[in-house]
Amino acid sequence: ALQSALESNGVHTRLQSAIEMKAIAEPFIRRKAVRHLEKGRVVIFGAGTGNPFFTTDSAASLRAIEINADVILKGTRVDGIYSADPEKDKNATKYDSISFDEVYQQGLNVMDLTAFTLCKENHLPIVVFDMDTPGNLEKIRKTVSCHVAGLPVPYRTTEEEPGFLNITDNGCDCIPGNNAFPVALDNLFCNRFEMAKFASDCLEKKINFIGI
């Protein structure tokens, strides 16, 4: 469905699977995935890591590290990180900015610990955003575009642009600059049209994009 939505909007895609399915997808080969990205294609990873006992969070983190992504976008039902589940606790406090170490210290449940540790050890920032709110991907796309132009990009949730929050090594609001910007998407079940537009715009601006 994701591949069809992207290709119906003129985005060239490749599907790679951790479990061999010759008639449906290419096998996952890291160098081939990176090459697809270099050619401006969207690469969709399927079948997780191909191993039991690993969550989709771990698969997203692993693939992001393998293709040298600069950030993971994690779609959830809430618009950032809270001290408790805001759907269950009305007194939950929302964080404006937070570091990996602070998440550990406060025992916050952002993603499974294996995936989170992979991100921390590889200095891979995580952007948490509300996947149910239309327009959030567009807001992230605009900040990504500025980032590629060499500007420091804030990912802090504000009153003007609510909906997402980053987790970095030191809790700051910037992600180090780079000319390429592969992006790993985890748990992304938002509007397909918005997803396709996000991918199209990233490709147009020569931003490498990858969906997990």
Side-chain angles (χ1 to χ4, degrees):
L2 175 58
Q3 187 174 35
S4 297
L6 291 170
E7 292 188 342
S8 66
N9 281 271
V11 179
H12 297 293
T13 67
R14 292 293 185 272
L15 174 61
Q16 292 196 347
S17 172
I19 299 174
E20 190 170 328
M21 305 178 192
K22 290 182 179 179
I24 300 173
E26 300 176 3
F28 169 70
I29 300 173
R30 178 190 170 278
R31 288 188 178 183
K32 198 166 185 179
V34 171
R35 184 60 179 152
H36 285 319
L37 291 171
E38 291 172 348
K39 290 184 176 181
R41 299 166 181 155
V42 169
V43 182
I44 304 168
F45 290 145
T49 65
N51 300 292
F53 310 116
F54 288 91
T55 65
T56 54
D57 287 344
S58 294
S61 301
L62 178 62
R63 294 291 182 253
I65 293 163
E66 288 177 312
I67 56 95
N68 298 318
D70 292 311
V71 63
I72 282 186
L73 307 184
K74 180 173 174 61
T76 68
R77 294 193 302 272
V78 295
D79 59 350
I81 306 297
Y82 287 78
S83 58
D85 186 345
E87 295 181 346
K88 299 177 181 178
D89 185 352
K90 64 180 181 180
N91 296 316
T93 302
K94 184 178 177 181
Y95 295 94
D96 287 332
S97 182
I98 194 166
S99 70
F100 285 104
D101 287 336
E102 288 171 332
V103 170
Y104 279 124
Q105 291 164 6
Q106 298 178 43
L108 303 177
N109 186 23
V110 177
M111 57 171 60
D112 82 73
L113 195 56
T114 300
F116 194 77
T117 302
L118 273 173
C119 292
K120 181 181 186 302
E121 291 181 347
N122 289 275
H123 311 290
L124 180 63
I126 305 165
V127 175
V128 180
F129 71 101
D130 182 356
M131 64 184 176
D132 294 325
T133 301
N136 272 347
L137 269 179
E138 175 66 10
K139 293 173 185 175
I140 295 173
R141 182 196 65 79
K142 289 178 179 177
T143 60
V144 167
S145 298
C146 293
H147 167 64
V148 173
L151 301 175
V153 179
Y155 281 86
R156 175 176 292 180
T157 302
T158 66
E159 292 182 2
E160 293 78 18
E161 292 204 6
F164 49 95
L165 169 71
N166 73 312
I167 305 171
T168 62
D169 285 334
N170 57 10
C172 71
D173 297 324
C174 297
I175 293 175
N178 197 328
N179 290 327
F181 201 100
V183 176
L185 285 181
D186 177 40
N187 295 348
L188 188 57
F189 298 102
C190 55
N191 181 279
R192 290 181 190 171
F193 175 77
E194 185 181 358
M195 173 71 170
K197 185 176 185 303
F198 177 78
S200 298
D201 289 342
C202 284
L203 290 171
E204 182 181 341
K205 293 176 174 61
K206 308 224 180 271
I207 301 168
N208 285 334
F209 166 84
I210 188 162
I212 296 182

